[in-house]
Amino acid sequence: NMDILGRAFMDVVSNTLFVTGTEQYPTLREHIRRSSTIAGVDLRPIGTDLIGPRGDHAAFEERPIPCMFFSSGMYGDYHKPTDTPDKLNYAAIERSTKVVFETVRELANCRAINRTPLANGSDLEELRTIHMVMTELSSKSAQAGINKDDADLLKKLVSETERLSKNGSYNPKTREKLIADATPTLAPYFMS
């Protein structure tokens, strides 16, 4: 599934393509990463649960049928009259669709995609994605439309992602806590 391409996530994280559904398919993820490097787009894996049922892929996830979701993420005027075609970055759309095309080609031409459960039940690449996003949102909070109190909370969350990364303690329990801490701060901006 592809949805919301050609804009910067929260109006600050540009030239980034988020992908869900690759958590347990490291070979496929590596292929997608190579394709994104060639296309010139920053690929950022993230857990499907962090996106929620906001796309057509949700029906597959419920069953559970393997699926992927590619997106550049939410932005400030999503579904508003000010969301006009002149704000689209058509070059970014082209780069992203090249990645998706190469992914489809890989899937069509391979015999099987091996599923490999996560080593400790959590995805360190996802943690790097969360860290990058929170760092960008924190450093460009005004541009992202984030108020000062929430920007201060984001700085604390950035520190927490750094701590989890440095001491290697990103596991299902610490992931759950990180998400619980971030949700009240970030959810209102995504749901507008």
Side-chain angles (χ1 to χ4, degrees), residues 41-55:
V41 65
D42 184 17
L43 182 76
R44 293 294 174 156
I46 193 146
T48 56
D49 61 323
L50 297 182
I51 302 298
R54 300 190 88 175

Side-chain angles (χ1 to χ4, degrees), residues 91-112:
I93 293 171
E94 182 178 356
R95 287 189 296 272
S96 294
T97 56
K98 285 179 180 179
V99 174
V100 174
F101 176 81
E102 289 302 323
T103 302
V104 171
R105 183 195 315 254
E106 174 71 10
L107 289 168
N109 291 314
C110 72
R111 293 186 141 199

Side-chain angles (χ1 to χ4, degrees), residues 5-189:
L5 297 177
R7 295 287 302 264
F9 177 65
M10 295 292 293
D11 300 314
V12 297
V13 182
S14 60
N15 198 42
T16 300
L17 181 62
F18 298 99
V19 62
T20 70
T22 63
E23 299 90 334
Q24 298 187 43
Y25 301 92
T27 304
L28 178 60
R29 182 183 282 182
E30 187 51 39
H31 173 79
I32 297 169
R33 183 170 311 292
R34 283 192 306 272
S35 297
S36 69
T37 300
I38 292 167
V41 65
D42 184 17
L43 182 76
R44 293 294 174 156
I46 193 146
T48 56
D49 61 323
L50 297 182
I51 302 298
R54 300 190 88 175
D56 296 332
H57 61 284
F60 294 96
E61 289 174 355
E62 289 173 4
R63 296 208 165 37
I65 298 170
C67 59
M68 287 180 286
F69 176 54
F70 294 91
S71 178
S72 57
M74 298 296 293
Y75 47 91
D77 60 356
Y78 178 71
H79 279 188
K80 294 179 182 172
T82 54
D83 186 6
T84 55
D86 58 295
K87 294 181 180 174
L88 287 170
N89 181 331
Y90 290 95
I93 293 171
E94 182 178 356
R95 287 189 296 272
S96 294
T97 56
K98 285 179 180 179
V99 174
V100 174
F101 176 81
E102 289 302 323
T103 302
V104 171
R105 183 195 315 254
E106 174 71 10
L107 289 168
N109 291 314
C110 72
R111 293 186 141 199
I113 301 292
N114 295 325
R115 183 175 175 269
T116 306
L118 296 168
N120 69 350
S122 61
D123 184 354
L124 292 177
E125 284 192 73
E126 175 189 71
L127 180 60
R128 287 190 284 275
T129 295
I130 293 168
H131 176 75
M132 180 278 294
V133 167
M134 289 189 184
T135 299
E136 287 287 310
L137 292 177
S138 175
S139 69
K140 300 174 184 173
S141 57
Q143 185 179 342
I146 296 173
N147 70 46
K148 185 186 177 334
D149 291 339
D150 290 341
D152 290 341
L153 289 170
L154 277 174
K155 288 178 185 173
K156 291 178 184 174
L157 291 168
V158 167
S159 295
E160 179 62 9
T161 59
E162 288 172 353
R163 186 188 69 75
L164 291 171
S165 182
K166 284 179 184 172
N167 68 18
S169 62
Y170 191 62
N171 57 53
K173 186 176 179 178
T174 58
R175 179 184 188 269
E176 184 177 318
K177 183 178 180 337
L178 180 64
I179 293 167
D181 291 347
T183 298
T185 302
L186 294 175
Y189 297 101

